[in-house]
């Protein structure tokens, strides 16, 4: 059995009552993503725990994990840098920005830096098209990002540690 | 405090849904109530359910998620007298490349959408709603959780809302990264805790949707338009647009324009005027080459096709779509091979794998385009791209297969020159 922070336990308790009687399975996806934020990745222990709470088999949770791109079986960095290169970002320098991020962090798509602080992902459209190019670091959006601005963001996070 | 907007508004906008954007604390219920908030709900509770649906039909509101289906008609398909519980599901899985408007509607004016959901609840005798928000929008899930808590605390959600005897509960539900979950039946599977895979239709969600119960699914913007329709009347909303294309909508313009942003204009607004005057024209005095009118799933338009009014029917007439309102503008320097490749990389990544024509088709199209872009293109590839795409059309459970095929067919057809230029360049490279 796993336990989470009191805030998350409270959220999960409410979540499990949000769906109709006998439909706790509905909580699988939200529970996985919120728990991943706290645990760091989708571990087999976490799969078992979500299965137990949602009253489904671990396999029914496992098959969901492979489908959703934000769920990771291996931990990402403390700061997960997501650079969009989809069409709106592409037209205004998104690809160059992604290549710059690869060089700056010394890693590629879905890789984690050796110190575990940063990871990188080339992502699909995340809904910031009119303020492109866009980057999301963990859940924080950054708009009109230039290579210089990205350097500042990353350096700022490094210093903050 | 007055909120700094993501982009400056334009004086040429008609701000109905975005009327409160930029007001001090625009996201609070207090601000909403001080600016027409819940007038429509109070009016709706005095109306018969059929009258509410009739008003929505009169408004000529069409779904703002992409398909453009008449909203009132969709509401009328939900069997109000069904003994099963009826559910309302709000599609906030905004993922269509080029689209970023639902973010603003939730961020700046969450209670407008909540009021629209409640009015739908009155019309359909539904008492529970699920707001499915894409996982990447976590800040908005938290934001909506706060707005919902505020509405509960002041009696605008929960039991006996405003003493009407009407109960309604609203919950947020997080996605976890899957474009396919914007398709309404895949969204329902995801809501039920499964992989987001499209369902066979019929039965349609109106009859058997969430947990096999009658379910109404609409986009964030569609619900956000309801309060203005009920408050000022369906006819007034309809009159803003063109026949069968009622009201205003939020257009998200991106790409090669001086003032990219989200702007609200009436349906039927001229596309070139929009690009020139609202979006500030193309930087550096460059010429227009192409426009994706409503998200990357829409067939692309050549510059000489863009002198049209932006409504669903005018775009359908020239073989494209108004879609989700995500307009992507491309100048004369744009390489359409790169555009086609990037679009196909997206669809190949997002295909859920359920239907073979889509799963295999998008993957092969991506591979051919990738090879072409890397200098390995062959003359026959151009025809092959078109032929493969055409074989995907209409052969899948959901529209993702079509959404991948249609832009490709249009790009290959309308910008064959870009592909020929690449082939000529490749030949030159070999010669050298």
């Amino acid at each position: 059995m796993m336990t989470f922070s009191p805030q998350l336990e409270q959220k999960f308790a409410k979540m499990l009552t949000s769906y109709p009687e006998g439909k706790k399975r509905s909580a699988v996806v939200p529970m996985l993503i919120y728990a991943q934020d706290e645990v760091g990745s989708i571990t087999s222990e976490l799969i078992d725990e979500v299965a137990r709470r949602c009253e489904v088999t671990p396999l029914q949770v496992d098959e969901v994990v492979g489908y959703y791109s934000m769920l990771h079986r291996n931990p990402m960095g403390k700061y997960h840098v997501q650079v969009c290169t989809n069409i709106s970002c592409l037209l205004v320098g998104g690809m160059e920005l992604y290549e710059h991020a690869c060089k700056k962090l010394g890693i590629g798509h879905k890789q984690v830096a050796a110190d575990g602080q940063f990871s990188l992902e080339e992502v699909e459209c995340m809904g910031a098209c009119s303020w492109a190019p866009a980057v999301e670091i963990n859940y924080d959006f950054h708009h009109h990002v230039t290579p210089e601005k990205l350097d500042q963001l990353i350096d700022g996070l490094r210093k903050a540690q | 405090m007055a909120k700094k907007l993501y982009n400056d508004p334009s004086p040429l906008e008609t701000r109905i849904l975005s009327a409160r954007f930029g007001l001090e604390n625009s996201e609070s219920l207090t601000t909403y109530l001080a600016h027409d908030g819940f007038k429509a709900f109070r009016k709706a509770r005095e109306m018969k359910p059929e009258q509410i649906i009739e008003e929505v039909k009169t408004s000529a509101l069409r779904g703002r998620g992409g398909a453009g289906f008449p909203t009132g008609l969709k509401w009328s398909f939900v069997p109000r007298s069904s003994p099963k519980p009826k559910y309302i599901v709000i599609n906030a899985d905004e993922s269509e490349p080029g689209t970023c408007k639902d973010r603003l509607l939730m961020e700046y004016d969450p209670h407008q959408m909540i009021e629209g959901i409640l009015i739908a609840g009155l019309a359909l005798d539904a008492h529970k709603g699920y707001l499915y928000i894409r996982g990447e929008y976590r800040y908005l899930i938290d934001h909506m959780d706060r707005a919902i808590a505020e509405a509960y605390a002041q009696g605008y959600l929960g039991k006996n809302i405003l003493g009407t005897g009407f109960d309604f509960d609203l919950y947020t539900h997080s996605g976890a990264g899957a474009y396919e979950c914007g398709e309404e039946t895949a969204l329902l599977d995801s809501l039920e805790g499964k992989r987001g895979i499209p369902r066979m239709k019929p039965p349609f969600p109106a009859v058997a949707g969430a947990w096999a119960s009658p379910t109404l699914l609409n986009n964030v913007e569609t619900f956000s338009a309801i309060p203005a329709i009920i408050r000022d009347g369906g006819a007034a909303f309809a009159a803003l647009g063109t026949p069968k294309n009622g009201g205003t909508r939020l257009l998200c313009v991106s790409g090669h324009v001086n003032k990219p942003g989200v702007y609200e204009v009436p349906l039927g607004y001229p596309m070139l005027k929009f690009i020139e005057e609202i979006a500030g024209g193309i930087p550096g005095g460059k010429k227009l080459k192409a426009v994706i009118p409503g998200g990357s799933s829409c067939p692309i338009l050549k510059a000489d096709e863009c002198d049209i009014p932006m409504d669903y029917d005018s775009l359908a007439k020239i073989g494209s779509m108004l879609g989700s309102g995500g307009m992507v503008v491309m100048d004369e320097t744009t390489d359409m091979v790169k555009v086609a490749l990037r679009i196909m990389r997206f669809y190949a990544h997002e295909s859920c794998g359920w239907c073979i024509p889509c799963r295999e088709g998008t993957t092969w199209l991506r591979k051919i385009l990738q090879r072409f872009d890397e200098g390995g293109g062959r003359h026959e590839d151009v025809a092959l791209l078109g032929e493969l795409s055409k074989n995907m059309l209409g052969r899948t459970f959901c529209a993702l297969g079509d959404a991948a095929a249609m832009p490709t067919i249009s790009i290959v057809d309308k910008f064959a020159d870009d592909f020929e230029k690449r082939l000529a360049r490749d030949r030159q490279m070999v010669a050298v």
Side-chain angles (χ1 to χ4, degrees), chain B residues 65-276:
Chain B
F69 193 80
T71 305
L73 197 57
K74 197 173 193 181
W75 288 24
S76 72
F77 292 157
V78 180
R80 191 184 150 86
S81 56
S82 167
K84 289 184 177 178
K86 273 111 359 205
Y87 297 110
I88 293 178
V89 176
I90 305 94
N91 188 342
D93 192 53
E94 179 166 72
S95 313
E96 176 69 23
T99 317
C100 50
K101 63 188 171 63
D102 295 341
R103 254 181 89 177
L104 303 189
L105 287 164
M106 290 189 282
E107 190 168 337
Y108 298 148
D109 204 352
H111 294 285
Q112 173 174 245
M113 176 179 71
I114 293 174
E115 187 181 5
I117 296 163
L118 289 174
I119 293 168
L122 285 174
L124 307 178
D125 190 31
H127 303 278
K128 273 188 197 300
Y130 295 89
L131 174 56
Y132 186 107
I133 306 184
R134 65 180 300 187
E136 292 86 347
Y137 285 3
R138 171 64 65 80
Y139 83 99
L140 280 175
I141 301 176
D142 296 342
H143 181 79
M144 285 309 307
D145 280 339
R146 284 191 297 272
I148 289 169
E150 197 186 6
Y152 270 102
Q154 297 190 40
Y156 290 85
L157 276 173
K159 294 250 175 275
N160 191 20
I161 295 170
L162 302 183
T164 54
F166 174 68
D167 304 338
F168 199 92
D169 288 307
L170 180 61
Y171 309 96
T172 57
H173 180 104
S174 176
Y179 168 72
E180 174 58 15
C181 292
E183 195 278 334
E184 60 181 20
T185 62
L187 186 152
L188 292 172
D189 264 22
S190 180
L191 179 66
E192 293 180 8
K194 304 168 196 163
R195 299 164 75 93
I197 283 166
R199 296 176 180 177
M200 179 76 123
K201 290 184 273 191
F204 286 92
V207 177
W211 308 290
S213 283
T215 303
L216 173 75
L217 277 127
N218 277 138
N219 170 261
V220 168
E221 187 181 354
T222 312
F223 282 112
S224 298
I226 299 297
I229 289 169
I230 298 299
R231 193 185 64 227
D232 305 329
F237 189 79
L240 293 166
T242 57
K244 294 186 188 160
N245 292 265
T248 54
R249 78 175 297 179
L250 272 63
L251 289 181
C252 329
V253 58
S254 63
H256 298 144
V257 290
N258 282 311
K259 294 179 188 168
V262 177
Y263 303 100
E264 185 175 358
V265 293
L267 273 284
Y269 199 88
M271 185 181 282
L272 288 179
K273 184 176 158 78
F274 182 86
I275 294 171
E276 277 307 315

Side-chain angles (χ1 to χ4, degrees), chain B residues 277-344:
Chain B
E277 295 178 22
I278 295 183
I282 298 173
K286 294 200 180 78
K287 282 199 201 104
L288 179 67
K289 178 167 184 172
V291 173
I292 296 173
S296 68
S297 305
C298 302
I300 203 162
L301 302 178
K302 272 165 45 183
D304 63 11
E305 294 176 294
C306 295
D307 190 11
I308 46 159
M310 288 188 285
D311 59 63
Y312 296 95
D313 300 322
S314 300
L315 276 143
K317 222 179 276 173
I318 58 164
S320 189
M321 303 187 296
L322 192 55
S324 61
M327 181 198 275
V328 187
V329 178
M330 301 173 208
D331 73 19
E332 56 187 323
T333 65
T334 311
D335 176 352
M336 300 313 282
V337 175
K338 289 220 181 290
V339 169
L341 170 61
R342 188 61 189 90
I343 290 177
M344 195 50 65

Side-chain angles (χ1 to χ4, degrees), chain A:
Chain A
M1 282 228 329
M2 287 173 89
T3 49
F4 305 100
S5 67
Q7 295 87 330
L8 201 55
E9 288 294 350
Q10 206 184 351
K11 190 183 267 295
F12 288 169
K14 182 171 180 274
M15 191 185 281
L16 287 170
T17 64
S18 305
Y19 306 100
E21 191 72 28
K23 306 294 181 195
K24 285 187 181 163
R25 183 176 183 177
S26 288
V28 166
V29 177
M31 200 177 271
L32 281 170
I33 195 162
Y34 284 107
Q36 172 178 272
D37 291 340
E38 212 165 280
V39 178
S41 63
I42 308 289
T43 59
S44 56
E45 193 191 8
L46 178 59
I47 288 173
D48 290 347
E49 183 61 25
V50 170
R52 191 183 65 78
R53 293 187 186 215
C54 298
E55 297 171 3
V56 292
T57 65
L59 185 63
Q60 286 172 314
V61 177
D62 207 326
E63 65 169 14
V64 160
V65 176
Y67 177 85
Y68 294 93
S69 60
M70 292 176 75
L71 302 177
H72 303 291
R73 290 184 198 268
N74 298 309
M76 291 290 123
K78 183 178 172 192
Y79 301 107
H80 187 46
V81 180
Q82 302 147 82
V83 183
C84 177
T85 62
N86 207 308
I87 186 72
S88 300
C89 288
L90 180 84
L91 291 174
V92 291
M95 188 51 83
E96 293 75 13
L97 187 65
Y98 172 67
E99 283 161 5
H100 179 82
C102 290
K103 270 188 232 143
K104 172 81 181 168
L105 296 170
I107 48 177
H109 180 59
K110 286 198 179 173
Q111 290 180 344
V112 187
D115 63 0
Q117 293 300 305
F118 289 93
S119 51
L120 180 62
E121 188 174 351
E122 179 189 7
V123 293
E124 296 299 349
C125 183
M126 51 194 185
C129 320
S130 290
W131 318 289
V135 170
E136 201 178 358
I137 302 181
N138 297 342
Y139 291 111
D140 294 327
F141 275 93
H142 302 277
H143 299 137
H144 302 295
V145 183
T146 57
E148 297 72 40
K149 199 168 157 185
L150 186 66
D151 284 350
Q152 284 168 14
L153 279 168
I154 291 170
D155 295 340
L157 291 170
R158 270 194 186 130
K159 255 185 229 149
Q161 284 162 37

